[in-house]
Amino acid sequence: MRDYKWLHEFCLNRFGSAKALEAMLPQPRSDAELRALSDDRYLSLMSLRIFRAGLKHSLVDAKWPAFEEVFFGFDPEKVVLMGAERLENLMQDARLIRHLGKLKSVPRNAQFILDVRRERGSFGALIADWPASDIVGLWKYLAKRGNQLGGLSAPRFLRMVGKDTFVPTDDMVAALKAQDVIDKAPTSQKDLAAVQAAFNQWQAESGRPLCQLSVMLAHTVNH
């Protein structure tokens, strides 16, 4: 596995200057900002990620105001009371994406958020307090306790809310294979641990957040 210096120099050459490189890199939210984000916004973004999966994002985003309306602004205390009959009725609402399994995930994840609130004070506290050095552990936690948050949904949701994370996109996986970190898409605990260790090393060398390292690494793949 090559060190961060190689990664930085490669990206400088690809983008032409340090200014151009920095301009395309994401910035994570601070712990204080993650704590300040309300539980209804976490539920909205979690649901948005779930409905985006497998669909054109712009299509889902255009319908999201209607989702905000029918799910009470994603207030988890209200959403959790929505029963099966109400969700079935939403299948007749042409303003929505009528996927019953995904519609059912909203009150289930509202309950998840309320459970975390009781345990930690707020969902934002969970997200803010979880160390980036074990971000794959947070993916596992979300997938286990949440609904429809497996696969890439957990890391993509975290990227959406601004939590520092890498996302194992096809390009990033290809880059990790080229660096001999893994030999296939990381789904096993062993492979995920290897990816986390590699990112922890690059972060220690560079001081950069995981999300920036993830984007930089993806750009080392030639198309």
Side-chain angles (χ1 to χ4, degrees), residues 1 165-167 172 176 181 194-204 206 208-215 217:
M1 185 180 77
T165 186
F166 49 87
V167 180
M172 202 196 83
L176 290 169
V181 175
V195 175
Q196 180 78 69
F199 272 91
N200 289 352
Q201 178 182 320
W202 289 321
Q203 185 173 53
S206 68
R208 286 189 180 276
L210 301 178
C211 59
Q212 294 186 0
L213 294 167
S214 179
V215 171
L217 194 64

Side-chain angles (χ1 to χ4, degrees), residues 178-190:
Q179 296 300 313
D180 294 322
V181 175
I182 50 175
D183 57 13
K184 60 183 183 302
T187 54
S188 69
Q189 290 305 304
K190 179 182 178 182

Side-chain angles (χ1 to χ4, degrees), residues 12-191:
L12 278 179
N13 289 333
R14 177 154 189 174
F15 290 96
S17 70
K19 183 178 180 180
L21 171 60
E22 297 301 327
M24 54 78 63
L25 294 177
Q27 290 289 344
R29 278 189 165 122
S30 68
D31 289 348
E33 290 172 322
L34 291 168
R35 286 179 179 278
L37 196 63
S38 59
D39 287 346
D40 61 278
R41 292 305 86 200
Y42 277 111
L43 181 57
S44 178
L45 288 167
M46 187 181 293
S47 303
L48 178 59
R49 168 54 211 161
I50 289 167
F51 275 91
R52 276 180 173 179
L55 295 174
K56 190 175 181 180
H57 291 187
S58 60
L59 169 69
V60 182
D61 295 352
K63 291 178 175 286
W64 210 245
F67 277 86
E68 290 278 353
E69 178 185 333
V70 301
F71 284 108
F72 309 103
F74 288 95
D75 181 339
E77 292 185 346
K78 294 179 180 178
V79 172
V80 78
L81 299 176
M82 296 176 72
E85 183 177 354
R86 186 175 180 87
L87 294 173
E88 290 280 359
N89 289 339
L90 292 182
M91 291 291 289
Q92 309 308 315
D93 192 332
R95 299 174 302 160
L96 306 178
I97 294 164
R98 290 172 284 184
H99 184 296
L100 187 58
K102 291 184 178 185
L103 289 169
K104 287 180 176 179
S105 76
V106 183
R108 289 170 180 169
N109 283 325
Q111 185 62 63
F112 168 41
I113 285 175
L114 291 173
D115 290 344
V116 171
R117 179 193 292 179
R118 281 192 291 270
E119 295 165 9
R120 296 175 178 263
S122 71
F123 196 79
L126 167 74
I127 301 300
D129 290 345
W130 202 287
S133 58
D134 180 35
I135 201 64
V136 297
L138 183 53
W139 300 355
K140 183 179 179 181
Y141 179 93
L142 292 170
K144 181 178 180 180
R145 294 196 57 180
N147 187 259
Q148 297 210 25
L149 291 174
L152 288 181
S153 285
R156 289 196 184 280
F157 160 66
L158 292 173
R159 180 66 63 81
M160 289 167 68
V161 302
K163 175 67 175 179
D164 190 21
T165 186
F166 49 87
V167 180
T169 61
D170 290 344
D171 282 351
M172 202 196 83
V173 169
L176 290 169
K177 289 179 182 178
Q179 296 300 313
D180 294 322
V181 175
I182 50 175
D183 57 13
K184 60 183 183 302
T187 54
S188 69
Q189 290 305 304
K190 179 182 178 182
D191 285 344

